[in-house]
Tab-separated table of all heavy atoms in Angstrom:
chain	number	residue	atom	x	y	z
A	1	MET	N	-37.524	17.247	25.133
A	1	MET	CA	-36.102	17.471	24.852
A	1	MET	C	-35.929	18.525	23.769
A	1	MET	O	-36.647	18.519	22.777
A	1	MET	CB	-35.464	16.152	24.423
A	1	MET	CG	-33.959	16.107	24.702
A	1	MET	SD	-33.295	14.493	24.239
A	1	MET	CE	-32.244	14.978	22.873
A	2	ALA	N	-34.976	19.404	23.979
A	2	ALA	CA	-34.740	20.478	23.025
A	2	ALA	C	-34.176	19.923	21.721
A	2	ALA	O	-33.449	18.930	21.711
A	2	ALA	CB	-33.780	21.502	23.610
A	3	LYS	N	-34.540	20.580	20.677
A	3	LYS	CA	-34.047	20.196	19.368
A	3	LYS	C	-32.538	20.419	19.269
A	3	LYS	O	-32.007	21.381	19.800
A	3	LYS	CB	-34.756	21.037	18.302
A	3	LYS	CG	-34.350	20.676	16.914
A	3	LYS	CD	-35.135	21.457	15.884
A	3	LYS	CE	-34.509	21.134	14.538
A	3	LYS	NZ	-35.405	21.247	13.431
A	4	GLN	N	-31.877	19.517	18.601
A	4	GLN	CA	-30.441	19.678	18.405
A	4	GLN	C	-30.121	19.978	16.952
A	4	GLN	O	-30.735	19.443	16.046
A	4	GLN	CB	-29.705	18.416	18.845
A	4	GLN	CG	-29.697	18.246	20.356
A	4	GLN	CD	-28.551	17.365	20.816
A	4	GLN	OE1	-28.151	16.438	20.133
A	4	GLN	NE2	-28.027	17.645	21.989
A	5	TYR	N	-29.147	20.845	16.799
A	5	TYR	CA	-28.701	21.209	15.461
A	5	TYR	C	-27.320	20.628	15.200
A	5	TYR	O	-26.505	20.542	16.097
A	5	TYR	CB	-28.641	22.728	15.320
A	5	TYR	CG	-29.995	23.368	15.382
A	5	TYR	CD1	-30.572	23.689	16.598
A	5	TYR	CD2	-30.700	23.609	14.213
A	5	TYR	CE1	-31.832	24.267	16.654
A	5	TYR	CE2	-31.954	24.182	14.265
A	5	TYR	CZ	-32.514	24.502	15.483
A	5	TYR	OH	-33.761	25.070	15.538
A	6	ARG	N	-27.106	20.270	13.983
A	6	ARG	CA	-25.832	19.688	13.612
A	6	ARG	C	-24.949	20.746	12.962
A	6	ARG	O	-25.298	21.307	11.925
A	6	ARG	CB	-26.098	18.538	12.626
A	6	ARG	CG	-24.886	17.709	12.308
A	6	ARG	CD	-25.368	16.387	11.717
A	6	ARG	NE	-24.261	15.639	11.159
A	6	ARG	CZ	-23.859	15.737	9.890
A	6	ARG	NH1	-24.495	16.535	9.062
A	6	ARG	NH2	-22.851	15.023	9.459
A	7	LEU	N	-23.821	21.013	13.619
A	7	LEU	CA	-22.857	21.963	13.073
A	7	LEU	C	-21.699	21.202	12.451
A	7	LEU	O	-21.144	20.299	13.060
A	7	LEU	CB	-22.301	22.845	14.196
A	7	LEU	CG	-22.968	24.204	14.391
A	7	LEU	CD1	-24.073	24.078	15.393
A	7	LEU	CD2	-21.944	25.208	14.849
A	8	LYS	N	-21.352	21.638	11.278
A	8	LYS	CA	-20.294	20.942	10.570
A	8	LYS	C	-19.262	21.957	10.110
A	8	LYS	O	-19.610	22.985	9.546
A	8	LYS	CB	-20.909	20.224	9.370
A	8	LYS	CG	-20.281	18.883	9.068
A	8	LYS	CD	-21.075	18.158	7.989
A	8	LYS	CE	-21.270	19.069	6.770
A	8	LYS	NZ	-22.073	18.448	5.711
A	9	ALA	N	-18.004	21.671	10.354
A	9	ALA	CA	-16.953	22.586	9.932
A	9	ALA	C	-15.712	21.799	9.537
A	9	ALA	O	-15.558	20.639	9.901
A	9	ALA	CB	-16.615	23.555	11.053
A	10	LYS	N	-14.860	22.470	8.790
A	10	LYS	CA	-13.637	21.821	8.351
A	10	LYS	C	-12.461	22.739	8.625
A	10	LYS	O	-12.468	23.907	8.241
A	10	LYS	CB	-13.749	21.518	6.853
A	10	LYS	CG	-12.738	20.509	6.394
A	10	LYS	CD	-13.011	20.155	4.942
A	10	LYS	CE	-11.905	19.287	4.385
A	10	LYS	NZ	-12.054	19.074	2.952
A	11	CYS	N	-11.447	22.222	9.292
A	11	CYS	CA	-10.274	23.017	9.629
A	11	CYS	C	-9.496	23.386	8.365
A	11	CYS	O	-9.157	22.522	7.569
A	11	CYS	CB	-9.385	22.215	10.576
A	11	CYS	SG	-7.815	23.023	10.925
A	12	PRO	N	-9.214	24.699	8.189
A	12	PRO	CA	-8.476	25.122	6.990
A	12	PRO	C	-7.002	24.704	7.049
A	12	PRO	O	-6.322	24.649	6.033
A	12	PRO	CB	-8.616	26.644	7.006
A	12	PRO	CG	-8.890	26.998	8.429
A	12	PRO	CD	-9.592	25.814	9.045
A	13	GLN	N	-6.510	24.422	8.247
A	13	GLN	CA	-5.109	24.095	8.448
A	13	GLN	C	-4.808	22.630	8.111
A	13	GLN	O	-3.930	22.332	7.323
A	13	GLN	CB	-4.739	24.401	9.903
A	13	GLN	CG	-3.273	24.233	10.254
A	13	GLN	CD	-2.432	25.370	9.689
A	13	GLN	OE1	-2.946	26.433	9.365
A	13	GLN	NE2	-1.148	25.142	9.549
A	14	CYS	N	-5.540	21.721	8.726
A	14	CYS	CA	-5.238	20.296	8.537
A	14	CYS	C	-6.354	19.549	7.811
A	14	CYS	O	-6.189	18.385	7.453
A	14	CYS	CB	-4.939	19.629	9.881
A	14	CYS	SG	-6.370	19.504	10.960
A	15	GLY	N	-7.461	20.225	7.588
A	15	GLY	CA	-8.525	19.616	6.801
A	15	GLY	C	-9.408	18.638	7.553
A	15	GLY	O	-10.305	18.044	6.966
A	16	CYS	N	-9.166	18.474	8.839
A	16	CYS	CA	-10.015	17.545	9.573
A	16	CYS	C	-11.359	18.201	9.876
A	16	CYS	O	-11.430	19.406	10.111
A	16	CYS	CB	-9.320	17.046	10.841
A	16	CYS	SG	-9.678	17.974	12.303
A	17	SER	N	-12.398	17.439	9.834
A	17	SER	CA	-13.711	18.033	10.003
A	17	SER	C	-14.221	17.826	11.422
A	17	SER	O	-13.885	16.862	12.095
A	17	SER	CB	-14.696	17.455	8.991
A	17	SER	OG	-14.677	16.062	9.048
A	18	ALA	N	-15.011	18.776	11.859
A	18	ALA	CA	-15.610	18.716	13.183
A	18	ALA	C	-17.121	18.701	13.045
A	18	ALA	O	-17.682	19.437	12.239
A	18	ALA	CB	-15.173	19.922	14.007
A	19	VAL	N	-17.753	17.842	13.801
A	19	VAL	CA	-19.213	17.801	13.819
A	19	VAL	C	-19.684	17.925	15.259
A	19	VAL	O	-19.163	17.261	16.142
A	19	VAL	CB	-19.747	16.495	13.201
A	19	VAL	CG1	-21.267	16.448	13.268
A	19	VAL	CG2	-19.286	16.356	11.766
A	20	MET	N	-20.610	18.812	15.481
A	20	MET	CA	-21.160	18.998	16.824
A	20	MET	C	-22.672	18.938	16.791
A	20	MET	O	-23.294	19.349	15.813
A	20	MET	CB	-20.750	20.369	17.368
A	20	MET	CG	-19.327	20.454	17.881
A	20	MET	SD	-18.860	22.178	18.049
A	20	MET	CE	-18.499	22.589	16.355
A	21	HIS	N	-23.229	18.421	17.846
A	21	HIS	CA	-24.675	18.451	17.989
A	21	HIS	C	-25.023	19.344	19.173
A	21	HIS	O	-24.680	19.037	20.307
A	21	HIS	CB	-25.229	17.036	18.197
A	21	HIS	CG	-25.050	16.175	16.983
A	21	HIS	ND1	-23.938	15.389	16.801
A	21	HIS	CD2	-25.818	16.012	15.881
A	21	HIS	CE1	-24.056	14.772	15.623
A	21	HIS	NE2	-25.179	15.123	15.056
A	22	LEU	N	-25.663	20.444	18.886
A	22	LEU	CA	-25.920	21.442	19.919
A	22	LEU	C	-27.371	21.892	19.915
A	22	LEU	O	-28.002	21.985	18.863
A	22	LEU	CB	-25.027	22.664	19.694
A	22	LEU	CG	-23.510	22.440	19.710
A	22	LEU	CD1	-22.801	23.672	19.191
A	22	LEU	CD2	-23.017	22.088	21.094
A	23	THR	N	-27.851	22.188	21.123
A	23	THR	CA	-29.184	22.776	21.224
A	23	THR	C	-29.047	24.276	20.965
A	23	THR	O	-27.950	24.821	21.041
A	23	THR	CB	-29.762	22.575	22.643
A	23	THR	OG1	-28.937	23.261	23.586
A	23	THR	CG2	-29.833	21.096	23.011
A	24	PRO	N	-30.163	24.956	20.674
A	24	PRO	CA	-30.105	26.410	20.452
A	24	PRO	C	-29.449	27.145	21.618
A	24	PRO	O	-28.694	28.086	21.411
A	24	PRO	CB	-31.584	26.807	20.327
A	24	PRO	CG	-32.258	25.578	19.829
A	24	PRO	CD	-31.509	24.416	20.423
A	25	GLU	N	-29.716	26.716	22.860
A	25	GLU	CA	-29.105	27.352	24.039
A	25	GLU	C	-27.589	27.201	23.989
A	25	GLU	O	-26.847	28.131	24.286
A	25	GLU	CB	-29.628	26.725	25.340
A	25	GLU	CG	-31.074	27.065	25.677
A	25	GLU	CD	-32.083	26.261	24.871
A	25	GLU	OE1	-31.720	25.157	24.419
A	25	GLU	OE2	-33.209	26.730	24.679
A	26	GLU	N	-27.140	26.012	23.642
A	26	GLU	CA	-25.702	25.752	23.590
A	26	GLU	C	-25.035	26.559	22.478
A	26	GLU	O	-23.926	27.060	22.638
A	26	GLU	CB	-25.436	24.258	23.390
A	26	GLU	CG	-25.706	23.446	24.645
A	26	GLU	CD	-25.669	21.947	24.400
A	26	GLU	OE1	-25.995	21.489	23.287
A	26	GLU	OE2	-25.316	21.228	25.329
A	27	ILE	N	-25.716	26.677	21.362
A	27	ILE	CA	-25.164	27.470	20.258
A	27	ILE	C	-25.021	28.923	20.686
A	27	ILE	O	-23.977	29.537	20.484
A	27	ILE	CB	-26.065	27.375	18.996
A	27	ILE	CG1	-26.059	25.944	18.456
A	27	ILE	CG2	-25.561	28.334	17.915
A	27	ILE	CD1	-26.981	25.723	17.272
A	28	GLU	N	-26.059	29.453	21.339
A	28	GLU	CA	-26.000	30.853	21.752
A	28	GLU	C	-24.934	31.079	22.811
A	28	GLU	O	-24.258	32.097	22.830
A	28	GLU	CB	-27.375	31.311	22.242
A	28	GLU	CG	-28.280	31.651	21.081
A	28	GLU	CD	-29.643	32.162	21.529
A	28	GLU	OE1	-29.748	32.637	22.675
A	28	GLU	OE2	-30.591	32.078	20.733
A	29	LYS	N	-24.787	30.103	23.716
A	29	LYS	CA	-23.791	30.221	24.773
A	29	LYS	C	-22.367	30.138	24.200
A	29	LYS	O	-21.469	30.857	24.597
A	29	LYS	CB	-24.004	29.101	25.794
A	29	LYS	CG	-23.707	29.517	27.222
A	29	LYS	CD	-24.174	28.465	28.201
A	29	LYS	CE	-23.017	27.925	29.002
A	29	LYS	NZ	-23.410	26.795	29.859
A	30	LYS	N	-22.205	29.238	23.267
A	30	LYS	CA	-20.883	28.968	22.707
A	30	LYS	C	-20.441	30.041	21.710
A	30	LYS	O	-19.301	30.471	21.719
A	30	LYS	CB	-20.937	27.604	21.990
A	30	LYS	CG	-19.652	26.807	22.052
A	30	LYS	CD	-19.960	25.381	21.584
A	30	LYS	CE	-18.758	24.690	20.998
A	30	LYS	NZ	-17.667	24.463	21.939
A	31	PHE	N	-21.368	30.471	20.891
A	31	PHE	CA	-20.995	31.367	19.791
A	31	PHE	C	-21.621	32.754	19.897
A	31	PHE	O	-21.164	33.683	19.256
A	31	PHE	CB	-21.405	30.750	18.451
A	31	PHE	CG	-20.848	29.369	18.228
A	31	PHE	CD1	-21.691	28.284	18.110
A	31	PHE	CD2	-19.481	29.165	18.141
A	31	PHE	CE1	-21.189	27.005	17.913
A	31	PHE	CE2	-18.969	27.900	17.947
A	31	PHE	CZ	-19.819	26.812	17.831
A	32	GLY	N	-22.675	32.889	20.668
A	32	GLY	CA	-23.424	34.135	20.654
A	32	GLY	C	-24.267	34.174	19.394
A	32	GLY	O	-24.224	33.251	18.583
A	33	ASN	N	-24.999	35.251	19.251
A	33	ASN	CA	-25.881	35.341	18.096
A	33	ASN	C	-25.159	36.034	16.944
A	33	ASN	O	-25.462	37.157	16.581
A	33	ASN	CB	-27.154	36.097	18.484
A	33	ASN	CG	-28.337	35.632	17.663
A	33	ASN	OD1	-28.165	34.998	16.628
A	33	ASN	ND2	-29.523	35.957	18.111
A	34	VAL	N	-24.167	35.348	16.416
A	34	VAL	CA	-23.331	35.947	15.382
A	34	VAL	C	-23.389	35.128	14.096
A	34	VAL	O	-23.673	33.937	14.130
A	34	VAL	CB	-21.854	36.043	15.839
A	34	VAL	CG1	-21.704	37.057	16.964
A	34	VAL	CG2	-21.334	34.702	16.272
A	35	PRO	N	-23.098	35.797	12.970
A	35	PRO	CA	-23.125	35.074	11.693
A	35	PRO	C	-21.956	34.113	11.521
A	35	PRO	O	-22.011	33.206	10.702
A	35	PRO	CB	-23.080	36.183	10.643
A	35	PRO	CG	-22.546	37.384	11.347
A	35	PRO	CD	-22.895	37.236	12.793
A	36	ASN	N	-20.885	34.318	12.310
A	36	ASN	CA	-19.728	33.439	12.191
A	36	ASN	C	-19.456	32.707	13.502
A	36	ASN	O	-19.480	33.296	14.571
A	36	ASN	CB	-18.473	34.228	11.812
A	36	ASN	CG	-18.559	34.768	10.405
A	36	ASN	OD1	-18.897	34.047	9.480
A	36	ASN	ND2	-18.296	36.043	10.253
A	37	ALA	N	-19.161	31.430	13.391
A	37	ALA	CA	-18.835	30.639	14.573
A	37	ALA	C	-17.325	30.515	14.678
A	37	ALA	O	-16.643	30.209	13.706
A	37	ALA	CB	-19.471	29.259	14.457
A	38	LYS	N	-16.804	30.768	15.896
A	38	LYS	CA	-15.373	30.599	16.125
A	38	LYS	C	-15.110	29.203	16.659
A	38	LYS	O	-15.696	28.795	17.651
A	38	LYS	CB	-14.869	31.631	17.135
A	38	LYS	CG	-14.779	33.029	16.570
A	38	LYS	CD	-14.010	33.922	17.545
A	38	LYS	CE	-13.888	35.339	17.016
A	38	LYS	NZ	-15.189	36.027	16.973
A	39	LEU	N	-14.222	28.500	16.010
A	39	LEU	CA	-13.937	27.125	16.404
A	39	LEU	C	-12.447	26.915	16.614
A	39	LEU	O	-11.624	27.663	16.099
A	39	LEU	CB	-14.431	26.165	15.316
A	39	LEU	CG	-15.920	26.190	15.007
A	39	LEU	CD1	-16.203	25.365	13.774
A	39	LEU	CD2	-16.733	25.703	16.180
A	40	GLU	N	-12.141	25.883	17.383
A	40	GLU	CA	-10.750	25.499	17.543
A	40	GLU	C	-10.620	24.038	17.142
A	40	GLU	O	-11.337	23.169	17.634
A	40	GLU	CB	-10.308	25.711	18.997
A	40	GLU	CG	-8.810	25.579	19.169
A	40	GLU	CD	-8.373	25.836	20.617
A	40	GLU	OE1	-8.746	26.878	21.191
A	40	GLU	OE2	-7.691	24.968	21.158
A	41	CYS	N	-9.687	23.778	16.250
A	41	CYS	CA	-9.496	22.423	15.752
A	41	CYS	C	-8.962	21.518	16.865
A	41	CYS	O	-8.025	21.872	17.574
A	41	CYS	CB	-8.513	22.446	14.598
A	41	CYS	SG	-8.184	20.820	13.930
A	42	SER	N	-9.554	20.358	16.998
A	42	SER	CA	-9.123	19.443	18.057
A	42	SER	C	-7.844	18.703	17.672
A	42	SER	O	-7.188	18.096	18.505
A	42	SER	CB	-10.239	18.451	18.366
A	42	SER	OG	-10.575	17.732	17.199
A	43	GLN	N	-7.488	18.775	16.413
A	43	GLN	CA	-6.285	18.088	15.951
A	43	GLN	C	-5.044	18.981	16.011
A	43	GLN	O	-4.039	18.625	16.608
A	43	GLN	CB	-6.479	17.595	14.509
A	43	GLN	CG	-7.530	16.517	14.354
A	43	GLN	CD	-7.189	15.246	15.109
A	43	GLN	OE1	-6.056	14.772	15.061
A	43	GLN	NE2	-8.149	14.689	15.820
A	44	CYS	N	-5.128	20.158	15.391
A	44	CYS	CA	-3.933	21.010	15.297
A	44	CYS	C	-4.061	22.298	16.103
A	44	CYS	O	-3.153	23.108	16.110
A	44	CYS	CB	-3.626	21.321	13.832
A	44	CYS	SG	-4.850	22.398	13.056
A	45	MET	N	-5.190	22.476	16.797
A	45	MET	CA	-5.416	23.642	17.660
A	45	MET	C	-5.532	24.953	16.888
A	45	MET	O	-5.493	26.028	17.489
A	45	MET	CB	-4.309	23.778	18.731
A	45	MET	CG	-4.216	22.598	19.667
A	45	MET	SD	-5.765	22.402	20.587
A	45	MET	CE	-5.661	20.685	21.068
A	46	GLU	N	-5.653	24.856	15.599
A	46	GLU	CA	-5.858	26.058	14.793
A	46	GLU	C	-7.214	26.672	15.145
A	46	GLU	O	-8.213	25.977	15.267
A	46	GLU	CB	-5.823	25.675	13.301
A	46	GLU	CG	-6.236	26.776	12.341
A	46	GLU	CD	-5.101	27.734	12.019
A	46	GLU	OE1	-4.005	27.572	12.578
A	46	GLU	OE2	-5.325	28.642	11.212
A	47	LYS	N	-7.209	28.010	15.341
A	47	LYS	CA	-8.478	28.694	15.555
A	47	LYS	C	-8.965	29.235	14.227
A	47	LYS	O	-8.218	29.872	13.507
A	47	LYS	CB	-8.309	29.827	16.568
A	47	LYS	CG	-8.105	29.324	17.980
A	47	LYS	CD	-8.129	30.498	18.962
A	47	LYS	CE	-8.109	30.026	20.403
A	47	LYS	NZ	-6.817	29.446	20.785
A	48	TYR	N	-10.215	28.985	13.934
A	48	TYR	CA	-10.745	29.471	12.669
A	48	TYR	C	-12.224	29.799	12.803
A	48	TYR	O	-12.878	29.442	13.772
A	48	TYR	CB	-10.513	28.439	11.558
A	48	TYR	CG	-11.170	27.091	11.787
A	48	TYR	CD1	-12.360	26.770	11.138
A	48	TYR	CD2	-10.595	26.140	12.611
A	48	TYR	CE1	-12.958	25.528	11.319
A	48	TYR	CE2	-11.193	24.902	12.807
A	48	TYR	CZ	-12.375	24.600	12.157
A	48	TYR	OH	-12.975	23.378	12.343
A	49	GLU	N	-12.711	30.514	11.798
A	49	GLU	CA	-14.117	30.897	11.800
A	49	GLU	C	-14.838	30.279	10.629
A	49	GLU	O	-14.271	30.136	9.542
A	49	GLU	CB	-14.247	32.420	11.685
A	49	GLU	CG	-13.943	33.146	12.975
A	49	GLU	CD	-14.324	34.628	12.887
A	49	GLU	OE1	-15.152	34.992	12.018
A	49	GLU	OE2	-13.792	35.403	13.684
A	50	VAL	N	-16.059	29.913	10.866
A	50	VAL	CA	-16.884	29.441	9.762
A	50	VAL	C	-18.180	30.250	9.752
A	50	VAL	O	-18.658	30.677	10.793
A	50	VAL	CB	-17.237	27.941	9.881
A	50	VAL	CG1	-16.011	27.084	9.636
A	50	VAL	CG2	-17.850	27.618	11.231
A	51	ALA	N	-18.698	30.472	8.569
A	51	ALA	CA	-19.980	31.150	8.458
A	51	ALA	C	-21.058	30.206	8.972
A	51	ALA	O	-21.096	29.037	8.609
A	51	ALA	CB	-20.249	31.533	7.016
A	52	MET	N	-21.912	30.729	9.841
A	52	MET	CA	-22.953	29.885	10.421
A	52	MET	C	-23.860	29.278	9.347
A	52	MET	O	-24.321	28.158	9.480
A	52	MET	CB	-23.770	30.711	11.424
A	52	MET	CG	-24.674	29.909	12.312
A	52	MET	SD	-23.808	28.618	13.250
A	52	MET	CE	-23.501	29.444	14.812
A	53	LYS	N	-24.054	30.022	8.287
A	53	LYS	CA	-24.934	29.495	7.239
A	53	LYS	C	-24.324	28.283	6.523
A	53	LYS	O	-25.044	27.480	5.959
A	53	LYS	CB	-25.341	30.589	6.248
A	53	LYS	CG	-24.219	31.186	5.444
A	53	LYS	CD	-24.818	32.115	4.374
A	53	LYS	CE	-23.822	33.055	3.741
A	53	LYS	NZ	-22.561	32.462	3.330
A	54	ASP	N	-22.980	28.185	6.565
A	54	ASP	CA	-22.328	27.006	5.993
A	54	ASP	C	-22.238	25.871	7.012
A	54	ASP	O	-22.420	24.709	6.685
A	54	ASP	CB	-20.910	27.346	5.514
A	54	ASP	CG	-20.929	28.344	4.370
A	54	ASP	OD1	-21.921	28.340	3.603
A	54	ASP	OD2	-19.969	29.108	4.233
A	55	ALA	N	-21.930	26.249	8.258
A	55	ALA	CA	-21.751	25.247	9.304
A	55	ALA	C	-23.069	24.599	9.695
A	55	ALA	O	-23.141	23.400	9.953
A	55	ALA	CB	-21.095	25.876	10.529
A	56	CYS	N	-24.110	25.417	9.718
A	56	CYS	CA	-25.398	24.893	10.148
A	56	CYS	C	-26.539	25.662	9.487
A	56	CYS	O	-27.121	26.552	10.090
A	56	CYS	CB	-25.506	24.969	11.671
A	56	CYS	SG	-26.949	24.131	12.324
A	57	PRO	N	-26.816	25.330	8.236
A	57	PRO	CA	-27.858	26.041	7.479
A	57	PRO	C	-29.211	26.032	8.189
A	57	PRO	O	-29.955	27.002	8.130
A	57	PRO	CB	-27.951	25.250	6.164
A	57	PRO	CG	-26.676	24.501	6.063
A	57	PRO	CD	-26.222	24.239	7.474
A	58	GLU	N	-29.487	24.942	8.875
A	58	GLU	CA	-30.775	24.802	9.549
A	58	GLU	C	-30.932	25.828	10.672
A	58	GLU	O	-31.955	26.476	10.824
A	58	GLU	CB	-30.890	23.389	10.122
A	58	GLU	CG	-32.313	22.985	10.410
A	58	GLU	CD	-32.405	21.627	11.093
A	58	GLU	OE1	-31.352	21.035	11.389
A	58	GLU	OE2	-33.505	21.182	11.336
A	59	TRP	N	-29.858	25.974	11.470
A	59	TRP	CA	-29.873	26.967	12.562
A	59	TRP	C	-29.953	28.368	11.994
A	59	TRP	O	-30.688	29.211	12.488
A	59	TRP	CB	-28.628	26.800	13.432
A	59	TRP	CG	-28.377	27.962	14.322
A	59	TRP	CD1	-27.398	28.894	14.195
A	59	TRP	CD2	-29.136	28.347	15.480
A	59	TRP	NE1	-27.510	29.840	15.217
A	59	TRP	CE2	-28.563	29.523	16.010
A	59	TRP	CE3	-30.270	27.809	16.117
A	59	TRP	CZ2	-29.058	30.169	17.141
A	59	TRP	CZ3	-30.764	28.466	17.249
A	59	TRP	CH2	-30.158	29.616	17.748
A	60	ASP	N	-29.184	28.632	10.949
A	60	ASP	CA	-29.168	29.943	10.334
A	60	ASP	C	-30.563	30.349	9.872
A	60	ASP	O	-31.002	31.465	10.042
A	60	ASP	CB	-28.190	29.956	9.157
A	60	ASP	CG	-27.911	31.365	8.666
A	60	ASP	OD1	-27.383	32.161	9.463
A	60	ASP	OD2	-28.222	31.665	7.501
A	61	LYS	N	-31.265	29.384	9.319
A	61	LYS	CA	-32.611	29.614	8.813
A	61	LYS	C	-33.545	29.985	9.959
A	61	LYS	O	-34.319	30.927	9.873
A	61	LYS	CB	-33.109	28.367	8.077
A	61	LYS	CG	-33.957	28.675	6.858
A	61	LYS	CD	-34.173	27.436	6.017
A	61	LYS	CE	-35.401	26.664	6.463
A	61	LYS	NZ	-35.533	25.383	5.741
A	62	GLU	N	-33.472	29.218	11.053
A	62	GLU	CA	-34.350	29.494	12.195
A	62	GLU	C	-33.979	30.793	12.882
A	62	GLU	O	-34.827	31.512	13.388
A	62	GLU	CB	-34.285	28.328	13.181
A	62	GLU	CG	-34.767	27.047	12.567
A	62	GLU	CD	-35.673	26.240	13.481
A	62	GLU	OE1	-35.836	26.627	14.658
A	62	GLU	OE2	-36.193	25.218	13.018
A	63	CYS	N	-32.691	31.078	12.876
A	63	CYS	CA	-32.174	32.313	13.442
A	63	CYS	C	-32.781	33.507	12.695
A	63	CYS	O	-33.229	34.466	13.289
A	63	CYS	CB	-30.651	32.325	13.296
A	63	CYS	SG	-29.808	33.148	14.625
A	64	GLN	N	-32.789	33.420	11.389
A	64	GLN	CA	-33.365	34.483	10.565
A	64	GLN	C	-34.865	34.603	10.825
A	64	GLN	O	-35.411	35.691	10.885
A	64	GLN	CB	-33.147	34.170	9.068
A	64	GLN	CG	-31.708	34.098	8.629
A	64	GLN	CD	-30.964	35.413	8.776
A	64	GLN	OE1	-31.554	36.485	8.668
A	64	GLN	NE2	-29.671	35.338	9.069
A	65	ALA	N	-35.493	33.465	10.985
A	65	ALA	CA	-36.948	33.433	11.167
A	65	ALA	C	-37.371	34.079	12.480
A	65	ALA	O	-38.477	34.582	12.608
A	65	ALA	CB	-37.441	31.989	11.099
A	66	MET	N	-36.462	34.055	13.481
A	66	MET	CA	-36.798	34.611	14.796
A	66	MET	C	-36.672	36.120	14.841
A	66	MET	O	-37.139	36.746	15.760
A	66	MET	CB	-35.872	33.997	15.861
A	66	MET	CG	-36.326	32.611	16.293
A	66	MET	SD	-35.371	32.008	17.705
A	66	MET	CE	-33.857	31.469	16.943
A	67	LYS	N	-36.011	36.718	13.847
A	67	LYS	CA	-35.798	38.164	13.853
A	67	LYS	C	-37.076	38.916	13.496
A	67	LYS	O	-37.915	38.379	12.804
A	67	LYS	CB	-34.674	38.521	12.880
A	67	LYS	CG	-33.329	38.336	13.520
A	67	LYS	CD	-32.209	38.548	12.491
A	67	LYS	CE	-30.887	38.003	13.047
A	67	LYS	NZ	-29.900	37.896	11.989
B	1	LIG	ZN1	-6.766	21.314	12.226
């Protein structure tokens, strides 16, 4: 089974937090190989961006290591 990474973000609009568990494939499919992840709040539908290094330091680290 592929390793899963935990992404954590907080909506700037309503403050509700989102947690996702994604495999590297899912992260790349969902966000692409970018430093910022685009998210949509499930509560208020606000679209916002979070820095990948804040949302998922572990993924960011491995991402850097693969370069
Ligand atoms: Zn929100």
